[in-house]
Amino acid sequence: MKQRYAVIGAGWAGCAAAMELARAGHAVPVFEAARTLGGRARRVERENTVLDNGQHILLGAYTETLRLIKLAGQDPAELILTLPLQMRYPAGPDGMDFIAPRLPAPLHLAWALLRAKGLQRADKLALMRFSTAMRWMGWQLYNDCTVSELLQRFDQTDRLNRLMWHPLCLAALNTPPERASARVFINVLRDSLGASRRASDMLIPKADLSSLLPEAAARYVEGHGGQVRTGAKITALQALADGRWQLDDADIFDGVIVATSSVQAASLLQGVHDARLDEAVNRMQAFTPEAISTCYLQYDAAVRLDLPFYALVDAPGRQHWGQFVFDRGQLDASQAGLLAVVISASGPAAEQGHGPLAQAIAAQLAQVLQRADLAQPVWTQLITEKRATFACTPDLARPGNASGVPGLLLAGDYTANDDRAQDYPATIEAAVRSGVAAARAIATGKGPK
């Protein structure tokens, strides 16, 4: 008899798992508690405007995400703005202009470094020394430490840390460098800076996050005989004597993939009352959450930045919260004059409240971009995802896809790979990879025995 599988959660991990099962010929039901698909990377609507609950940058290295977008019938070229690797600050003595040309790797990085503005000779030599050492080490770090300790070990300059490494660490790991895992940071650098030129491309979604993949994934799953049920919160899992699984005293399945957030997954697993799940639950409950805030500022439609996005310098002696600003009008013409400012690890910033923080960010934009017209937006919206990611700290114990119980798999950006050198931080690509891995494991019977 054909096996019946279910997926709980329609975030990016759940959508990836469901698509992979559907591709293998399984008619899969997906249960999503919310009304909007996408989990912590989804569409929201505020002020009669379609926004995202967080402004994202993807990378060309996100191969599984791009594969599934195409599998779902989407054209990445239409939905994503592709830019070469860059870290570009507004003109001024505190900034930097680093942009990689479209040359084969590693020539693109060498040329970008040679032509970079705002870096002194010592900074360039330090960056070259770091990159060479990482290649010599095979982009692997066997003894984990913090990103700050790693940078100090390789004598990175204060200016290079402030303009390059610290912003990249915050953007990729959503964890301050003094607490972030150097091993995971190097994994990200390996698959971007250390890979092909295309892998280092920066991809900015032009479509909202729900329509980029989750909604297309739902159509794909339904087109293969499955179902995606929104507003369907699963509150209980029960292991039956015959090895199957019952959801909320109703549907029974041969296997289940739990693709919710780690908090929701831990709650569900605790309800199963199986000692084999204790390790996974304990690891999830030990996570420290990190917030991400996105402040949207609407200006007159004529307002436009010179570039689609800028890094925002945090010079000594100035209290600046925003780390990157995006011109949404250059992504979607219907959003002309709308800027999105991202604040990673935003707990301290969000404590100020919407009004004061939005005012501070508007002042920051006016000062850094030298644009007086940015000081007074028409309206602002602050969206804070309080549990956007886990704090990606050194040697963090993360559960894998295997729950410890046959027929029950975990999927999510918090899971770990069997090979720690492949571990990613909590990103869209990590969620997608985890969902694909869980689907393949459960469908082939290679999950826990």
Side-chain angles (χ1 to χ4, degrees):
M1 295 181 62
K2 198 167 186 177
Q3 298 285 317
R4 296 188 69 226
Y5 302 119
V7 175
I8 302 175
W12 288 66
C15 288
M19 283 187 69
E20 196 65 18
L21 288 171
R23 190 175 71 90
H26 302 285
V28 185
V30 182
F31 301 89
E32 170 55 47
R35 296 292 178 180
T36 304
L37 306 181
R40 284 164 289 131
R42 68 187 184 280
R43 176 181 62 245
V44 297
E45 189 168 333
R46 303 282 175 84
E47 298 286 346
N48 297 317
T49 304
V50 173
L51 307 173
D52 289 314
N53 72 320
Q55 177 68 52
H56 283 65
I57 295 182
L58 312 182
L59 294 175
Y62 287 10
T63 53
E64 282 296 275
T65 300
L66 293 171
R67 178 181 71 85
L68 290 188
I69 289 174
K70 294 176 183 177
L71 181 64
Q74 305 270 74
D75 183 359
E78 292 183 359
L79 302 174
I80 296 172
L81 175 64
T82 300
L83 300 172
L85 172 69
Q86 55 192 270
M87 187 66 80
R88 310 187 74 178
Y89 290 83
D94 296 326
M96 173 184 72
D97 193 44
F98 180 98
I99 179 168
R102 297 193 180 280
L103 295 174
L107 292 177
H108 68 312
L109 291 181
W111 187 255
L113 185 58
L114 179 66
R115 297 294 299 272
K117 299 177 181 178
L119 294 181
Q120 304 301 317
R121 183 173 182 272
D123 306 319
K124 294 182 179 183
L125 288 175
L127 196 156
M128 187 180 302
R129 183 169 58 249
F130 181 84
S131 178
T132 301
M134 291 301 107
R135 291 180 186 279
W136 181 79
M137 293 165 56
W139 299 94
Q140 293 189 42
L141 188 67
Y142 296 102
N143 297 313
D144 206 357
C145 62
T146 68
V147 169
S148 291
E149 289 169 337
L150 177 75
L151 298 175
Q152 184 177 17
R153 184 182 306 170
F154 288 94
D155 298 320
Q156 298 301 281
T157 65
D158 291 341
R159 185 175 181 82
L160 189 61
N161 287 339
R162 181 166 56 85
L163 296 177
M164 178 74 81
W165 299 130
H166 289 184
L168 286 178
C169 175
L170 276 169
L173 276 64
N174 194 38
T175 308
E178 61 270 19
R179 294 192 286 112
S181 164
R183 178 189 288 125
V184 177
F185 184 55
I186 289 174
N187 291 346
V188 175
L189 294 181
R190 175 200 61 215
D191 289 354
S192 52
L193 302 185
S196 67
R197 193 276 306 162
R198 188 178 297 273
S200 69
D201 281 345
M202 307 181 89
L203 313 181
I204 308 177
K206 294 190 285 187
D208 68 80
L209 291 175
S210 291
S211 62
L212 183 59
L213 178 65
E215 292 176 346
R219 293 191 294 270
Y220 182 89
V221 169
E222 290 167 348
H224 286 72
Q227 297 176 306
V228 178
R229 308 176 191 175
T230 59
K233 183 177 182 179
I234 301 300
T235 59
L237 279 175
Q238 182 179 355
L240 303 180
D242 60 3
R244 295 186 297 167
W245 292 87
Q246 187 171 33
L247 276 58
D248 283 353
D249 300 323
D251 297 313
I252 296 176
F253 298 93
D254 297 288
V256 176
I257 296 176
V258 177
T260 64
S261 70
S262 60
V263 173
Q264 295 165 323
S267 178
L268 272 176
L269 296 185
Q270 281 183 305
V272 177
H273 303 297
D274 190 314
R276 289 174 292 181
L277 297 173
D278 288 349
E279 182 178 357
V281 170
N282 289 339
R283 289 185 174 187
M284 285 185 274
Q285 291 179 331
F287 290 154
T288 300
E290 290 282 2
I292 297 178
S293 296
T294 302
C295 185
Y296 292 95
L297 305 98
Q298 180 66 62
Y299 297 93
D300 183 88
V303 170
R304 180 183 174 91
L305 302 185
D306 292 336
L307 298 174
F309 84 99
Y310 281 105
L312 298 175
V313 67
D314 185 14
R318 296 202 303 237
Q319 182 63 71
H320 286 165
W321 295 110
Q323 293 138 7
F324 293 92
V325 57
F326 295 79
D327 186 343
R328 299 272 293 199
Q330 297 190 44
L331 305 173
D332 181 349
S334 68
Q335 296 190 341
L338 180 63
L339 305 184
V341 176
V342 177
I343 311 169
S344 297
S346 65
E351 289 177 357
Q352 295 188 83
H354 174 195
L357 181 56
Q359 185 177 6
I361 288 174
Q364 176 186 3
L365 293 178
Q367 180 185 50
V368 173
L369 292 165
Q370 300 180 30
R371 294 270 303 264
D373 58 333
L374 300 183
Q376 295 295 329
V378 177
W379 57 257
T380 63
Q381 282 291 323
L382 179 68
I383 299 176
T384 297
E385 192 74 27
K386 294 182 178 180
R387 293 180 173 271
T389 72
F390 56 87
C392 192
T393 53
D395 288 318
L396 180 67
R398 297 159 61 177
N401 290 118
S403 69
V405 181
L408 181 62
L409 276 292
L410 306 177
D413 59 13
Y414 63 89
T415 60
N417 194 288
D418 291 337
D419 180 1
R420 298 186 70 182
Q422 302 301 320
D423 278 349
Y424 258 37
T427 60
I428 281 177
E429 178 71 0
V432 169
R433 289 187 186 188
S434 177
V436 170
R440 290 175 179 173
I442 200 170
T444 59
K446 294 182 180 179
K449 301 296 184 182

Short mmCIF file of all heavy atoms in Angstrom, two decimals, residues 99-123:
data_model
loop_
_atom_site.label_atom_id
_atom_site.label_comp_id
_atom_site.label_asym_id
_atom_site.label_seq_id
_atom_site.Cartn_x
_atom_site.Cartn_y
_atom_site.Cartn_z
N ILE A 99 32.49 46.44 -4.81
CA ILE A 99 31.57 45.76 -5.73
C ILE A 99 32.36 44.84 -6.63
O ILE A 99 33.39 45.24 -7.20
CB ILE A 99 30.74 46.78 -6.54
CG1 ILE A 99 29.79 46.04 -7.51
CG2 ILE A 99 31.61 47.78 -7.27
CD1 ILE A 99 28.75 46.94 -8.13
N ALA A 100 31.89 43.61 -6.75
CA ALA A 100 32.60 42.61 -7.54
C ALA A 100 32.13 42.64 -8.99
O ALA A 100 30.92 42.64 -9.25
CB ALA A 100 32.36 41.22 -6.96
N PRO A 101 33.06 42.68 -9.94
CA PRO A 101 32.67 42.62 -11.35
C PRO A 101 32.27 41.21 -11.72
O PRO A 101 32.50 40.25 -10.97
CB PRO A 101 33.96 43.04 -12.07
CG PRO A 101 35.05 42.55 -11.17
CD PRO A 101 34.53 42.73 -9.77
N ARG A 102 31.68 41.07 -12.88
CA ARG A 102 31.24 39.74 -13.32
C ARG A 102 32.39 39.03 -14.02
O ARG A 102 32.38 38.82 -15.24
CB ARG A 102 30.01 39.87 -14.21
CG ARG A 102 28.82 40.48 -13.48
CD ARG A 102 27.52 40.33 -14.23
NE ARG A 102 26.40 40.91 -13.50
CZ ARG A 102 25.76 40.33 -12.49
NH1 ARG A 102 26.13 39.14 -12.08
NH2 ARG A 102 24.75 40.94 -11.90
N LEU A 103 33.37 38.65 -13.21
CA LEU A 103 34.52 37.87 -13.66
C LEU A 103 34.51 36.52 -12.97
O LEU A 103 33.87 36.35 -11.93
CB LEU A 103 35.83 38.61 -13.30
CG LEU A 103 36.08 39.95 -13.98
CD1 LEU A 103 37.33 40.60 -13.40
CD2 LEU A 103 36.22 39.78 -15.49
N PRO A 104 35.19 35.52 -13.50
CA PRO A 104 35.24 34.21 -12.85
C PRO A 104 35.86 34.31 -11.46
O PRO A 104 36.74 35.13 -11.22
CB PRO A 104 36.10 33.36 -13.79
CG PRO A 104 36.06 34.07 -15.11
CD PRO A 104 35.93 35.53 -14.78
N ALA A 105 35.40 33.45 -10.55
CA ALA A 105 35.99 33.39 -9.21
C ALA A 105 37.38 32.77 -9.31
O ALA A 105 37.61 31.87 -10.13
CB ALA A 105 35.10 32.57 -8.29
N PRO A 106 38.35 33.18 -8.48
CA PRO A 106 38.26 34.25 -7.48
C PRO A 106 38.69 35.62 -8.02
O PRO A 106 38.94 36.52 -7.23
CB PRO A 106 39.22 33.77 -6.40
CG PRO A 106 40.31 33.07 -7.17
CD PRO A 106 39.63 32.42 -8.35
N LEU A 107 38.78 35.75 -9.36
CA LEU A 107 39.22 37.02 -9.92
C LEU A 107 38.26 38.16 -9.58
O LEU A 107 38.67 39.31 -9.42
CB LEU A 107 39.35 36.90 -11.44
CG LEU A 107 40.49 36.01 -11.96
CD1 LEU A 107 40.45 35.94 -13.48
CD2 LEU A 107 41.84 36.53 -11.48
N HIS A 108 36.96 37.83 -9.45
CA HIS A 108 35.98 38.89 -9.17
C HIS A 108 36.25 39.53 -7.81
O HIS A 108 36.10 40.74 -7.64
CB HIS A 108 34.56 38.35 -9.27
CG HIS A 108 34.17 37.37 -8.20
ND1 HIS A 108 34.96 36.30 -7.83
CD2 HIS A 108 33.06 37.31 -7.41
CE1 HIS A 108 34.35 35.62 -6.88
NE2 HIS A 108 33.20 36.21 -6.59
N LEU A 109 36.67 38.72 -6.84
CA LEU A 109 36.96 39.27 -5.51
C LEU A 109 38.28 40.05 -5.52
O LEU A 109 38.39 41.11 -4.88
CB LEU A 109 37.03 38.15 -4.48
CG LEU A 109 35.70 37.45 -4.16
CD1 LEU A 109 35.91 36.38 -3.11
CD2 LEU A 109 34.66 38.45 -3.70
N ALA A 110 39.28 39.52 -6.25
CA ALA A 110 40.56 40.22 -6.32
C ALA A 110 40.39 41.59 -6.97
O ALA A 110 40.95 42.59 -6.50
CB ALA A 110 41.56 39.37 -7.10
N TRP A 111 39.59 41.64 -8.03
CA TRP A 111 39.38 42.91 -8.72
C TRP A 111 38.57 43.86 -7.84
O TRP A 111 38.84 45.07 -7.80
CB TRP A 111 38.67 42.66 -10.04
CG TRP A 111 38.55 43.89 -10.91
CD1 TRP A 111 37.43 44.62 -11.14
CD2 TRP A 111 39.59 44.52 -11.64
NE1 TRP A 111 37.69 45.68 -11.97
CE2 TRP A 111 39.03 45.64 -12.30
CE3 TRP A 111 40.95 44.25 -11.82
CZ2 TRP A 111 39.77 46.48 -13.11
CZ3 TRP A 111 41.70 45.09 -12.62
CH2 TRP A 111 41.12 46.19 -13.26
N ALA A 112 37.55 43.33 -7.15
CA ALA A 112 36.75 44.16 -6.25
C ALA A 112 37.61 44.76 -5.16
O ALA A 112 37.47 45.94 -4.81
CB ALA A 112 35.62 43.34 -5.64
N LEU A 113 38.54 43.96 -4.63
CA LEU A 113 39.42 44.44 -3.57
C LEU A 113 40.38 45.50 -4.10
O LEU A 113 40.63 46.52 -3.44
CB LEU A 113 40.18 43.26 -2.98
CG LEU A 113 41.08 43.55 -1.77
CD1 LEU A 113 40.28 44.15 -0.64
CD2 LEU A 113 41.78 42.28 -1.32
N LEU A 114 40.89 45.27 -5.31
CA LEU A 114 41.83 46.21 -5.90
C LEU A 114 41.17 47.57 -6.12
O LEU A 114 41.77 48.62 -5.89
CB LEU A 114 42.36 45.65 -7.22
CG LEU A 114 43.35 46.53 -7.99
CD1 LEU A 114 44.65 46.67 -7.19
CD2 LEU A 114 43.64 45.93 -9.37
N ARG A 115 39.91 47.56 -6.56
CA ARG A 115 39.22 48.79 -6.92
C ARG A 115 38.40 49.38 -5.77
O ARG A 115 37.80 50.45 -5.93
CB ARG A 115 38.28 48.52 -8.10
CG ARG A 115 38.98 48.08 -9.38
CD ARG A 115 39.86 49.18 -9.95
NE ARG A 115 39.07 50.36 -10.30
CZ ARG A 115 38.47 50.54 -11.47
NH1 ARG A 115 38.58 49.61 -12.41
NH2 ARG A 115 37.79 51.63 -11.71
N ALA A 116 38.36 48.72 -4.63
CA ALA A 116 37.52 49.17 -3.52
C ALA A 116 37.92 50.56 -3.05
O ALA A 116 39.11 50.86 -2.88
CB ALA A 116 37.61 48.19 -2.36
N LYS A 117 36.93 51.40 -2.83
CA LYS A 117 37.15 52.74 -2.31
C LYS A 117 36.81 52.76 -0.82
O LYS A 117 35.88 52.10 -0.38
CB LYS A 117 36.27 53.74 -3.05
CG LYS A 117 36.56 53.84 -4.54
CD LYS A 117 35.60 54.79 -5.22
CE LYS A 117 35.87 54.85 -6.72
NZ LYS A 117 34.90 55.76 -7.42
N GLY A 118 37.57 53.52 -0.07
CA GLY A 118 37.31 53.64 1.35
C GLY A 118 38.10 52.69 2.21
O GLY A 118 38.01 52.73 3.44
N LEU A 119 38.88 51.79 1.59
CA LEU A 119 39.75 50.89 2.33
C LEU A 119 41.20 51.31 2.13
O LEU A 119 41.62 51.60 1.00
CB LEU A 119 39.57 49.44 1.86
CG LEU A 119 38.22 48.78 2.13
CD1 LEU A 119 38.22 47.34 1.62
CD2 LEU A 119 37.87 48.81 3.62
N GLN A 120 41.93 51.32 3.22
CA GLN A 120 43.35 51.64 3.14
C GLN A 120 44.15 50.39 2.76
O GLN A 120 43.62 49.27 2.74
CB GLN A 120 43.83 52.20 4.48
CG GLN A 120 43.06 53.41 4.95
CD GLN A 120 43.10 54.56 3.97
OE1 GLN A 120 44.16 54.86 3.40
NE2 GLN A 120 41.95 55.21 3.75
N ARG A 121 45.41 50.58 2.48
CA ARG A 121 46.26 49.46 2.08
C ARG A 121 46.26 48.36 3.16
O ARG A 121 46.18 47.17 2.84
CB ARG A 121 47.70 49.94 1.83
CG ARG A 121 48.65 48.87 1.35
CD ARG A 121 50.00 49.47 0.97
NE ARG A 121 50.92 48.46 0.46
CZ ARG A 121 51.73 47.73 1.22
NH1 ARG A 121 51.72 47.92 2.55
NH2 ARG A 121 52.54 46.83 0.69
N ALA A 122 46.32 48.76 4.42
CA ALA A 122 46.32 47.78 5.50
C ALA A 122 45.02 46.98 5.54
O ALA A 122 45.03 45.77 5.82
CB ALA A 122 46.54 48.48 6.84
N ASP A 123 43.90 47.65 5.24
CA ASP A 123 42.62 46.96 5.21
C ASP A 123 42.58 45.92 4.09
O ASP A 123 42.12 44.79 4.30
CB ASP A 123 41.48 47.97 5.01
CG ASP A 123 41.49 49.09 6.02
OD1 ASP A 123 41.76 48.80 7.20
OD2 ASP A 123 41.25 50.25 5.63
#
